PDB file of all heavy atoms in Angstrom:
ATOM      1  N   ASP A  24      35.745 -41.157  -2.575  1.00  0.00           N
ATOM      2  CA  ASP A  24      35.607 -40.069  -3.543  1.00  0.00           C
ATOM      3  C   ASP A  24      34.141 -39.718  -3.725  1.00  0.00           C
ATOM      4  O   ASP A  24      33.284 -40.599  -3.860  1.00  0.00           O
ATOM      5  CB  ASP A  24      36.183 -40.493  -4.904  1.00  0.00           C
ATOM      6  CG  ASP A  24      37.623 -40.044  -5.068  1.00  0.00           C
ATOM      7  OD1 ASP A  24      37.970 -38.976  -4.547  1.00  0.00           O
ATOM      8  OD2 ASP A  24      38.397 -40.776  -5.720  1.00  0.00           O
ATOM      9  N   GLY A  25      33.837 -38.402  -3.722  1.00  0.00           N
ATOM     10  CA  GLY A  25      32.470 -37.945  -3.927  1.00  0.00           C
ATOM     11  C   GLY A  25      31.672 -37.793  -2.653  1.00  0.00           C
ATOM     12  O   GLY A  25      30.614 -37.147  -2.657  1.00  0.00           O
ATOM     13  N   ASP A  26      32.157 -38.365  -1.550  1.00  0.00           N
ATOM     14  CA  ASP A  26      31.449 -38.213  -0.273  1.00  0.00           C
ATOM     15  C   ASP A  26      31.595 -36.780   0.241  1.00  0.00           C
ATOM     16  O   ASP A  26      32.553 -36.068  -0.074  1.00  0.00           O
ATOM     17  CB  ASP A  26      32.020 -39.166   0.781  1.00  0.00           C
ATOM     18  CG  ASP A  26      31.582 -40.608   0.572  1.00  0.00           C
ATOM     19  OD1 ASP A  26      30.621 -40.812  -0.193  1.00  0.00           O
ATOM     20  OD2 ASP A  26      32.219 -41.507   1.150  1.00  0.00           O
ATOM     21  N   VAL A  27      30.625 -36.381   1.083  1.00  0.00           N
ATOM     22  CA  VAL A  27      30.704 -35.084   1.758  1.00  0.00           C
ATOM     23  C   VAL A  27      31.083 -35.350   3.209  1.00  0.00           C
ATOM     24  O   VAL A  27      30.348 -36.019   3.936  1.00  0.00           O
ATOM     25  CB  VAL A  27      29.365 -34.327   1.692  1.00  0.00           C
ATOM     26  CG1 VAL A  27      29.477 -33.003   2.440  1.00  0.00           C
ATOM     27  CG2 VAL A  27      28.951 -34.087   0.249  1.00  0.00           C
ATOM     28  N   VAL A  28      32.244 -34.825   3.621  1.00  0.00           N
ATOM     29  CA  VAL A  28      32.710 -35.044   4.988  1.00  0.00           C
ATOM     30  C   VAL A  28      32.630 -33.739   5.764  1.00  0.00           C
ATOM     31  O   VAL A  28      32.829 -32.654   5.220  1.00  0.00           O
ATOM     32  CB  VAL A  28      34.153 -35.587   5.010  1.00  0.00           C
ATOM     33  CG1 VAL A  28      34.204 -37.011   4.509  1.00  0.00           C
ATOM     34  CG2 VAL A  28      35.092 -34.697   4.201  1.00  0.00           C
ATOM     35  N   THR A  29      32.310 -33.861   7.044  1.00  0.00           N
ATOM     36  CA  THR A  29      32.369 -32.715   7.946  1.00  0.00           C
ATOM     37  C   THR A  29      33.659 -32.839   8.730  1.00  0.00           C
ATOM     38  O   THR A  29      33.922 -33.896   9.337  1.00  0.00           O
ATOM     39  CB  THR A  29      31.162 -32.696   8.898  1.00  0.00           C
ATOM     40  OG1 THR A  29      29.959 -32.695   8.132  1.00  0.00           O
ATOM     41  CG2 THR A  29      31.194 -31.442   9.766  1.00  0.00           C
ATOM     42  N   ILE A  30      34.483 -31.791   8.699  1.00  0.00           N
ATOM     43  CA  ILE A  30      35.824 -31.913   9.260  1.00  0.00           C
ATOM     44  C   ILE A  30      36.179 -30.720  10.146  1.00  0.00           C
ATOM     45  O   ILE A  30      35.614 -29.641  10.021  1.00  0.00           O
ATOM     46  CB  ILE A  30      36.888 -32.020   8.141  1.00  0.00           C
ATOM     47  CG1 ILE A  30      36.751 -30.847   7.161  1.00  0.00           C
ATOM     48  CG2 ILE A  30      36.774 -33.348   7.399  1.00  0.00           C
ATOM     49  CD1 ILE A  30      37.797 -30.842   6.059  1.00  0.00           C
ATOM     50  N   ASP A  31      37.132 -30.972  11.060  1.00  0.00           N
ATOM     51  CA  ASP A  31      37.771 -29.919  11.846  1.00  0.00           C
ATOM     52  C   ASP A  31      39.218 -29.825  11.370  1.00  0.00           C
ATOM     53  O   ASP A  31      39.861 -30.844  11.097  1.00  0.00           O
ATOM     54  CB  ASP A  31      37.750 -30.253  13.344  1.00  0.00           C
ATOM     55  CG  ASP A  31      36.327 -30.329  13.890  1.00  0.00           C
ATOM     56  OD1 ASP A  31      35.435 -29.709  13.290  1.00  0.00           O
ATOM     57  OD2 ASP A  31      36.126 -31.014  14.912  1.00  0.00           O
ATOM     58  N   LEU A  32      39.738 -28.591  11.258  1.00  0.00           N
ATOM     59  CA  LEU A  32      41.092 -28.382  10.750  1.00  0.00           C
ATOM     60  C   LEU A  32      41.929 -27.580  11.745  1.00  0.00           C
ATOM     61  O   LEU A  32      41.421 -26.694  12.427  1.00  0.00           O
ATOM     62  CB  LEU A  32      41.048 -27.616   9.424  1.00  0.00           C
ATOM     63  CG  LEU A  32      40.414 -28.327   8.226  1.00  0.00           C
ATOM     64  CD1 LEU A  32      40.137 -27.341   7.105  1.00  0.00           C
ATOM     65  CD2 LEU A  32      41.324 -29.444   7.731  1.00  0.00           C
ATOM     66  N   GLU A  33      43.228 -27.908  11.799  1.00  0.00           N
ATOM     67  CA  GLU A  33      44.175 -27.151  12.598  1.00  0.00           C
ATOM     68  C   GLU A  33      45.491 -27.072  11.831  1.00  0.00           C
ATOM     69  O   GLU A  33      46.065 -28.091  11.462  1.00  0.00           O
ATOM     70  CB  GLU A  33      44.411 -27.814  13.952  1.00  0.00           C
ATOM     71  CG  GLU A  33      45.371 -27.030  14.851  1.00  0.00           C
ATOM     72  CD  GLU A  33      45.649 -27.755  16.156  1.00  0.00           C
ATOM     73  OE1 GLU A  33      46.522 -28.661  16.149  1.00  0.00           O
ATOM     74  OE2 GLU A  33      44.996 -27.442  17.161  1.00  0.00           O
ATOM     75  N   ALA A  34      45.951 -25.841  11.558  1.00  0.00           N
ATOM     76  CA  ALA A  34      47.172 -25.643  10.771  1.00  0.00           C
ATOM     77  C   ALA A  34      48.285 -25.097  11.657  1.00  0.00           C
ATOM     78  O   ALA A  34      48.078 -24.152  12.420  1.00  0.00           O
ATOM     79  CB  ALA A  34      46.898 -24.681   9.616  1.00  0.00           C
ATOM     80  N   LYS A  35      49.477 -25.709  11.550  1.00  0.00           N
ATOM     81  CA  LYS A  35      50.648 -25.249  12.284  1.00  0.00           C
ATOM     82  C   LYS A  35      51.752 -24.860  11.306  1.00  0.00           C
ATOM     83  O   LYS A  35      51.933 -25.509  10.278  1.00  0.00           O
ATOM     84  CB  LYS A  35      51.191 -26.360  13.193  1.00  0.00           C
ATOM     85  CG  LYS A  35      50.285 -26.760  14.328  1.00  0.00           C
ATOM     86  CD  LYS A  35      50.950 -27.863  15.166  1.00  0.00           C
ATOM     87  CE  LYS A  35      50.067 -28.303  16.326  1.00  0.00           C
ATOM     88  NZ  LYS A  35      50.707 -29.395  17.111  1.00  0.00           N
ATOM     89  N   VAL A  36      52.442 -23.781  11.631  1.00  0.00           N
ATOM     90  CA  VAL A  36      53.630 -23.382  10.882  1.00  0.00           C
ATOM     91  C   VAL A  36      54.781 -23.313  11.871  1.00  0.00           C
ATOM     92  O   VAL A  36      54.705 -22.603  12.878  1.00  0.00           O
ATOM     93  CB  VAL A  36      53.425 -22.022  10.178  1.00  0.00           C
ATOM     94  CG1 VAL A  36      54.735 -21.541   9.558  1.00  0.00           C
ATOM     95  CG2 VAL A  36      52.352 -22.128   9.098  1.00  0.00           C
ATOM     96  N   GLU A  37      55.827 -24.076  11.570  1.00  0.00           N
ATOM     97  CA  GLU A  37      56.993 -24.166  12.465  1.00  0.00           C
ATOM     98  C   GLU A  37      56.574 -24.549  13.878  1.00  0.00           C
ATOM     99  O   GLU A  37      57.072 -24.014  14.874  1.00  0.00           O
ATOM    100  CB  GLU A  37      57.778 -22.845  12.459  1.00  0.00           C
ATOM    101  CG  GLU A  37      58.336 -22.489  11.095  1.00  0.00           C
ATOM    102  CD  GLU A  37      59.058 -21.147  11.088  1.00  0.00           C
ATOM    103  OE1 GLU A  37      59.006 -20.451  12.130  1.00  0.00           O
ATOM    104  OE2 GLU A  37      59.668 -20.805  10.064  1.00  0.00           O
ATOM    105  N   GLY A  38      55.614 -25.450  13.961  1.00  0.00           N
ATOM    106  CA  GLY A  38      55.188 -25.988  15.253  1.00  0.00           C
ATOM    107  C   GLY A  38      54.193 -25.157  16.014  1.00  0.00           C
ATOM    108  O   GLY A  38      53.678 -25.595  17.051  1.00  0.00           O
ATOM    109  N   GLU A  39      53.856 -23.971  15.522  1.00  0.00           N
ATOM    110  CA  GLU A  39      52.929 -23.082  16.216  1.00  0.00           C
ATOM    111  C   GLU A  39      51.580 -23.064  15.501  1.00  0.00           C
ATOM    112  O   GLU A  39      51.509 -22.910  14.284  1.00  0.00           O
ATOM    113  CB  GLU A  39      53.477 -21.650  16.269  1.00  0.00           C
ATOM    114  CG  GLU A  39      54.762 -21.504  17.074  1.00  0.00           C
ATOM    115  CD  GLU A  39      54.530 -21.725  18.568  1.00  0.00           C
ATOM    116  OE1 GLU A  39      53.427 -21.386  19.038  1.00  0.00           O
ATOM    117  OE2 GLU A  39      55.443 -22.231  19.241  1.00  0.00           O
ATOM    118  N   VAL A  40      50.496 -23.233  16.294  1.00  0.00           N
ATOM    119  CA  VAL A  40      49.154 -23.181  15.718  1.00  0.00           C
ATOM    120  C   VAL A  40      48.834 -21.735  15.330  1.00  0.00           C
ATOM    121  O   VAL A  40      48.990 -20.808  16.133  1.00  0.00           O
ATOM    122  CB  VAL A  40      48.095 -23.693  16.722  1.00  0.00           C
ATOM    123  CG1 VAL A  40      46.693 -23.575  16.112  1.00  0.00           C
ATOM    124  CG2 VAL A  40      48.391 -25.150  17.102  1.00  0.00           C
ATOM    125  N   LEU A  41      48.396 -21.530  14.112  1.00  0.00           N
ATOM    126  CA  LEU A  41      48.066 -20.185  13.630  1.00  0.00           C
ATOM    127  C   LEU A  41      46.756 -19.703  14.241  1.00  0.00           C
ATOM    128  O   LEU A  41      45.818 -20.494  14.421  1.00  0.00           O
ATOM    129  CB  LEU A  41      47.937 -20.181  12.104  1.00  0.00           C
ATOM    130  CG  LEU A  41      49.176 -20.597  11.315  1.00  0.00           C
ATOM    131  CD1 LEU A  41      48.825 -20.759   9.832  1.00  0.00           C
ATOM    132  CD2 LEU A  41      50.280 -19.561  11.490  1.00  0.00           C
ATOM    133  N   GLU A  42      46.701 -18.404  14.538  1.00  0.00           N
ATOM    134  CA  GLU A  42      45.473 -17.842  15.102  1.00  0.00           C
ATOM    135  C   GLU A  42      44.296 -18.028  14.147  1.00  0.00           C
ATOM    136  O   GLU A  42      43.163 -18.260  14.575  1.00  0.00           O
ATOM    137  CB  GLU A  42      45.661 -16.346  15.414  1.00  0.00           C
ATOM    138  CG  GLU A  42      46.553 -16.081  16.602  1.00  0.00           C
ATOM    139  CD  GLU A  42      46.597 -14.605  16.948  1.00  0.00           C
ATOM    140  OE1 GLU A  42      45.760 -13.843  16.412  1.00  0.00           O
ATOM    141  OE2 GLU A  42      47.453 -14.209  17.757  1.00  0.00           O
ATOM    142  N   ASP A  43      44.570 -17.886  12.850  1.00  0.00           N
ATOM    143  CA  ASP A  43      43.505 -18.062  11.860  1.00  0.00           C
ATOM    144  C   ASP A  43      43.613 -19.412  11.169  1.00  0.00           C
ATOM    145  O   ASP A  43      43.116 -19.592  10.053  1.00  0.00           O
ATOM    146  CB  ASP A  43      43.550 -16.937  10.816  1.00  0.00           C
ATOM    147  CG  ASP A  43      44.917 -16.815  10.142  1.00  0.00           C
ATOM    148  OD1 ASP A  43      45.853 -17.528  10.558  1.00  0.00           O
ATOM    149  OD2 ASP A  43      45.049 -16.012   9.191  1.00  0.00           O
ATOM    150  N   GLY A  44      44.259 -20.365  11.860  1.00  0.00           N
ATOM    151  CA  GLY A  44      44.472 -21.676  11.258  1.00  0.00           C
ATOM    152  C   GLY A  44      43.622 -22.769  11.865  1.00  0.00           C
ATOM    153  O   GLY A  44      43.938 -23.961  11.721  1.00  0.00           O
ATOM    154  N   VAL A  45      42.539 -22.401  12.548  1.00  0.00           N
ATOM    155  CA  VAL A  45      41.661 -23.391  13.182  1.00  0.00           C
ATOM    156  C   VAL A  45      40.242 -23.201  12.652  1.00  0.00           C
ATOM    157  O   VAL A  45      39.736 -22.077  12.593  1.00  0.00           O
ATOM    158  CB  VAL A  45      41.670 -23.254  14.718  1.00  0.00           C
ATOM    159  CG1 VAL A  45      40.717 -24.255  15.346  1.00  0.00           C
ATOM    160  CG2 VAL A  45      43.091 -23.435  15.251  1.00  0.00           C
ATOM    161  N   ALA A  46      39.612 -24.297  12.227  1.00  0.00           N
ATOM    162  CA  ALA A  46      38.237 -24.237  11.724  1.00  0.00           C
ATOM    163  C   ALA A  46      37.511 -25.509  12.121  1.00  0.00           C
ATOM    164  O   ALA A  46      38.089 -26.601  12.118  1.00  0.00           O
ATOM    165  CB  ALA A  46      38.218 -24.067  10.208  1.00  0.00           C
ATOM    166  N   SER A  47      36.229 -25.360  12.484  1.00  0.00           N
ATOM    167  CA  SER A  47      35.428 -26.513  12.897  1.00  0.00           C
ATOM    168  C   SER A  47      34.169 -26.605  12.055  1.00  0.00           C
ATOM    169  O   SER A  47      33.630 -25.588  11.599  1.00  0.00           O
ATOM    170  CB  SER A  47      35.040 -26.396  14.378  1.00  0.00           C
ATOM    171  OG  SER A  47      36.188 -26.311  15.200  1.00  0.00           O
ATOM    172  N   GLY A  48      33.703 -27.833  11.861  1.00  0.00           N
ATOM    173  CA  GLY A  48      32.439 -28.055  11.165  1.00  0.00           C
ATOM    174  C   GLY A  48      32.461 -27.688   9.693  1.00  0.00           C
ATOM    175  O   GLY A  48      31.428 -27.299   9.128  1.00  0.00           O
ATOM    176  N   VAL A  49      33.617 -27.822   9.060  1.00  0.00           N
ATOM    177  CA  VAL A  49      33.736 -27.484   7.641  1.00  0.00           C
ATOM    178  C   VAL A  49      33.182 -28.628   6.790  1.00  0.00           C
ATOM    179  O   VAL A  49      33.528 -29.797   7.004  1.00  0.00           O
ATOM    180  CB  VAL A  49      35.201 -27.216   7.255  1.00  0.00           C
ATOM    181  CG1 VAL A  49      35.328 -26.938   5.759  1.00  0.00           C
ATOM    182  CG2 VAL A  49      35.755 -26.062   8.068  1.00  0.00           C
ATOM    183  N   SER A  50      32.314 -28.300   5.838  1.00  0.00           N
ATOM    184  CA  SER A  50      31.758 -29.299   4.926  1.00  0.00           C
ATOM    185  C   SER A  50      32.601 -29.334   3.661  1.00  0.00           C
ATOM    186  O   SER A  50      32.840 -28.301   3.034  1.00  0.00           O
ATOM    187  CB  SER A  50      30.306 -28.947   4.580  1.00  0.00           C
ATOM    188  OG  SER A  50      29.758 -29.916   3.718  1.00  0.00           O
ATOM    189  N   TYR A  51      33.054 -30.534   3.275  1.00  0.00           N
ATOM    190  CA  TYR A  51      33.943 -30.653   2.118  1.00  0.00           C
ATOM    191  C   TYR A  51      33.590 -31.887   1.297  1.00  0.00           C
ATOM    192  O   TYR A  51      33.413 -32.984   1.839  1.00  0.00           O
ATOM    193  CB  TYR A  51      35.399 -30.734   2.580  1.00  0.00           C
ATOM    194  CG  TYR A  51      36.362 -30.979   1.452  1.00  0.00           C
ATOM    195  CD1 TYR A  51      36.564 -30.013   0.472  1.00  0.00           C
ATOM    196  CD2 TYR A  51      37.062 -32.190   1.351  1.00  0.00           C
ATOM    197  CE1 TYR A  51      37.445 -30.234  -0.587  1.00  0.00           C
ATOM    198  CE2 TYR A  51      37.950 -32.413   0.316  1.00  0.00           C
ATOM    199  CZ  TYR A  51      38.127 -31.441  -0.659  1.00  0.00           C
ATOM    200  OH  TYR A  51      38.983 -31.665  -1.699  1.00  0.00           O
ATOM    201  N   THR A  52      33.490 -31.673  -0.026  1.00  0.00           N
ATOM    202  CA  THR A  52      33.234 -32.791  -0.939  1.00  0.00           C
ATOM    203  C   THR A  52      34.561 -33.337  -1.436  1.00  0.00           C
ATOM    204  O   THR A  52      35.345 -32.611  -2.068  1.00  0.00           O
ATOM    205  CB  THR A  52      32.387 -32.335  -2.135  1.00  0.00           C
ATOM    206  OG1 THR A  52      31.147 -31.809  -1.668  1.00  0.00           O
ATOM    207  CG2 THR A  52      32.114 -33.504  -3.080  1.00  0.00           C
ATOM    208  N   ILE A  53      34.836 -34.588  -1.148  1.00  0.00           N
ATOM    209  CA  ILE A  53      36.114 -35.187  -1.525  1.00  0.00           C
ATOM    210  C   ILE A  53      36.249 -35.210  -3.051  1.00  0.00           C
ATOM    211  O   ILE A  53      35.353 -35.673  -3.757  1.00  0.00           O
ATOM    212  CB  ILE A  53      36.226 -36.614  -0.961  1.00  0.00           C
ATOM    213  CG1 ILE A  53      36.132 -36.592   0.573  1.00  0.00           C
ATOM    214  CG2 ILE A  53      37.539 -37.267  -1.393  1.00  0.00           C
ATOM    215  CD1 ILE A  53      36.140 -37.965   1.211  1.00  0.00           C
ATOM    216  N   GLY A  54      37.385 -34.662  -3.525  1.00  0.00           N
ATOM    217  CA  GLY A  54      37.630 -34.626  -4.964  1.00  0.00           C
ATOM    218  C   GLY A  54      37.286 -33.301  -5.608  1.00  0.00           C
ATOM    219  O   GLY A  54      37.574 -33.094  -6.789  1.00  0.00           O
ATOM    220  N   SER A  55      36.694 -32.390  -4.835  1.00  0.00           N
ATOM    221  CA  SER A  55      36.293 -31.098  -5.407  1.00  0.00           C
ATOM    222  C   SER A  55      37.481 -30.155  -5.602  1.00  0.00           C
ATOM    223  O   SER A  55      37.409 -29.217  -6.399  1.00  0.00           O
ATOM    224  CB  SER A  55      35.250 -30.419  -4.518  1.00  0.00           C
ATOM    225  OG  SER A  55      35.810 -30.053  -3.260  1.00  0.00           O
ATOM    226  N   GLY A  56      38.567 -30.378  -4.857  1.00  0.00           N
ATOM    227  CA  GLY A  56      39.739 -29.515  -4.969  1.00  0.00           C
ATOM    228  C   GLY A  56      39.519 -28.121  -4.413  1.00  0.00           C
ATOM    229  O   GLY A  56      40.227 -27.185  -4.791  1.00  0.00           O
ATOM    230  N   GLU A  57      38.529 -27.951  -3.532  1.00  0.00           N
ATOM    231  CA  GLU A  57      38.177 -26.609  -3.054  1.00  0.00           C
ATOM    232  C   GLU A  57      38.937 -26.191  -1.802  1.00  0.00           C
ATOM    233  O   GLU A  57      38.886 -25.032  -1.413  1.00  0.00           O
ATOM    234  CB  GLU A  57      36.669 -26.545  -2.776  1.00  0.00           C
ATOM    235  CG  GLU A  57      35.811 -26.674  -4.035  1.00  0.00           C
ATOM    236  CD  GLU A  57      34.334 -26.748  -3.713  1.00  0.00           C
ATOM    237  OE1 GLU A  57      34.008 -26.870  -2.511  1.00  0.00           O
ATOM    238  OE2 GLU A  57      33.520 -26.705  -4.649  1.00  0.00           O
ATOM    239  N   LEU A  58      39.638 -27.121  -1.162  1.00  0.00           N
ATOM    240  CA  LEU A  58      40.386 -26.747   0.043  1.00  0.00           C
ATOM    241  C   LEU A  58      41.884 -26.869  -0.203  1.00  0.00           C
ATOM    242  O   LEU A  58      42.381 -26.364  -1.205  1.00  0.00           O
ATOM    243  CB  LEU A  58      39.934 -27.610   1.222  1.00  0.00           C
ATOM    244  CG  LEU A  58      38.616 -27.210   1.907  1.00  0.00           C
ATOM    245  CD1 LEU A  58      38.267 -28.171   3.029  1.00  0.00           C
ATOM    246  CD2 LEU A  58      38.693 -25.783   2.444  1.00  0.00           C
ATOM    247  N   LEU A  59      42.574 -27.539   0.666  1.00  0.00           N
ATOM    248  CA  LEU A  59      44.028 -27.617   0.606  1.00  0.00           C
ATOM    249  C   LEU A  59      44.502 -28.791  -0.241  1.00  0.00           C
ATOM    250  O   LEU A  59      43.860 -29.848  -0.279  1.00  0.00           O
ATOM    251  CB  LEU A  59      44.600 -27.748   2.023  1.00  0.00           C
ATOM    252  CG  LEU A  59      44.307 -26.586   2.968  1.00  0.00           C
ATOM    253  CD1 LEU A  59      44.673 -26.984   4.393  1.00  0.00           C
ATOM    254  CD2 LEU A  59      45.088 -25.351   2.553  1.00  0.00           C
ATOM    255  N   GLU A  60      45.639 -28.584  -0.891  1.00  0.00           N
ATOM    256  CA  GLU A  60      46.237 -29.687  -1.637  1.00  0.00           C
ATOM    257  C   GLU A  60      46.664 -30.771  -0.656  1.00  0.00           C
ATOM    258  O   GLU A  60      47.287 -30.491   0.371  1.00  0.00           O
ATOM    259  CB  GLU A  60      47.451 -29.163  -2.412  1.00  0.00           C
ATOM    260  CG  GLU A  60      48.056 -30.207  -3.334  1.00  0.00           C
ATOM    261  CD  GLU A  60      49.210 -29.638  -4.149  1.00  0.00           C
ATOM    262  OE1 GLU A  60      49.326 -28.402  -4.233  1.00  0.00           O
ATOM    263  OE2 GLU A  60      49.982 -30.445  -4.692  1.00  0.00           O
ATOM    264  N   GLY A  61      46.295 -31.996  -0.958  1.00  0.00           N
ATOM    265  CA  GLY A  61      46.656 -33.126  -0.103  1.00  0.00           C
ATOM    266  C   GLY A  61      45.553 -33.573   0.830  1.00  0.00           C
ATOM    267  O   GLY A  61      45.651 -34.642   1.447  1.00  0.00           O
ATOM    268  N   ILE A  62      44.475 -32.776   0.924  1.00  0.00           N
ATOM    269  CA  ILE A  62      43.422 -33.129   1.886  1.00  0.00           C
ATOM    270  C   ILE A  62      42.624 -34.342   1.426  1.00  0.00           C
ATOM    271  O   ILE A  62      42.159 -35.143   2.246  1.00  0.00           O
ATOM    272  CB  ILE A  62      42.491 -31.929   2.148  1.00  0.00           C
ATOM    273  CG1 ILE A  62      41.623 -32.226   3.381  1.00  0.00           C
ATOM    274  CG2 ILE A  62      41.631 -31.597   0.936  1.00  0.00           C
ATOM    275  CD1 ILE A  62      40.865 -31.032   3.895  1.00  0.00           C
ATOM    276  N   ASP A  63      42.477 -34.505   0.089  1.00  0.00           N
ATOM    277  CA  ASP A  63      41.713 -35.657  -0.399  1.00  0.00           C
ATOM    278  C   ASP A  63      42.342 -36.971   0.041  1.00  0.00           C
ATOM    279  O   ASP A  63      41.663 -37.867   0.559  1.00  0.00           O
ATOM    280  CB  ASP A  63      41.612 -35.616  -1.931  1.00  0.00           C
ATOM    281  CG  ASP A  63      40.703 -34.508  -2.422  1.00  0.00           C
ATOM    282  OD1 ASP A  63      39.839 -34.075  -1.639  1.00  0.00           O
ATOM    283  OD2 ASP A  63      40.844 -34.071  -3.571  1.00  0.00           O
ATOM    284  N   ASP A  64      43.660 -37.087  -0.166  1.00  0.00           N
ATOM    285  CA  ASP A  64      44.352 -38.318   0.234  1.00  0.00           C
ATOM    286  C   ASP A  64      44.304 -38.514   1.742  1.00  0.00           C
ATOM    287  O   ASP A  64      44.271 -39.654   2.236  1.00  0.00           O
ATOM    288  CB  ASP A  64      45.810 -38.274  -0.237  1.00  0.00           C
ATOM    289  CG  ASP A  64      45.931 -38.351  -1.752  1.00  0.00           C
ATOM    290  OD1 ASP A  64      44.992 -38.878  -2.391  1.00  0.00           O
ATOM    291  OD2 ASP A  64      46.947 -37.870  -2.294  1.00  0.00           O
ATOM    292  N   ALA A  65      44.290 -37.402   2.482  1.00  0.00           N
ATOM    293  CA  ALA A  65      44.296 -37.498   3.950  1.00  0.00           C
ATOM    294  C   ALA A  65      42.980 -38.032   4.493  1.00  0.00           C
ATOM    295  O   ALA A  65      42.969 -38.844   5.430  1.00  0.00           O
ATOM    296  CB  ALA A  65      44.603 -36.129   4.554  1.00  0.00           C
ATOM    297  N   VAL A  66      41.839 -37.596   3.930  1.00  0.00           N
ATOM    298  CA  VAL A  66      40.549 -37.967   4.513  1.00  0.00           C
ATOM    299  C   VAL A  66      39.978 -39.254   3.914  1.00  0.00           C
ATOM    300  O   VAL A  66      39.145 -39.910   4.560  1.00  0.00           O
ATOM    301  CB  VAL A  66      39.515 -36.829   4.361  1.00  0.00           C
ATOM    302  CG1 VAL A  66      39.962 -35.604   5.123  1.00  0.00           C
ATOM    303  CG2 VAL A  66      39.257 -36.495   2.901  1.00  0.00           C
ATOM    304  N   LYS A  67      40.406 -39.615   2.707  1.00  0.00           N
ATOM    305  CA  LYS A  67      39.888 -40.861   2.127  1.00  0.00           C
ATOM    306  C   LYS A  67      40.330 -42.052   2.975  1.00  0.00           C
ATOM    307  O   LYS A  67      41.491 -42.163   3.358  1.00  0.00           O
ATOM    308  CB  LYS A  67      40.377 -41.028   0.680  1.00  0.00           C
ATOM    309  CG  LYS A  67      39.522 -40.295  -0.328  1.00  0.00           C
ATOM    310  CD  LYS A  67      39.823 -40.680  -1.769  1.00  0.00           C
ATOM    311  CE  LYS A  67      41.193 -40.222  -2.200  1.00  0.00           C
ATOM    312  NZ  LYS A  67      41.401 -40.448  -3.664  1.00  0.00           N
ATOM    313  N   GLY A  68      39.394 -42.915   3.301  1.00  0.00           N
ATOM    314  CA  GLY A  68      39.686 -44.075   4.124  1.00  0.00           C
ATOM    315  C   GLY A  68      39.430 -43.843   5.604  1.00  0.00           C
ATOM    316  O   GLY A  68      39.494 -44.789   6.396  1.00  0.00           O
TER     317      GLY A  68
END
């Protein structure tokens, strides 16, 4: 919690990668709630 992580993201809907669902080099502060719900639990650890 509180760390700043650099992450790559890929989102799929019904098994297909979205054209606008890929992002690289995103800076995110864990616990800030600024991105997707569930991402904090996913990246912690």
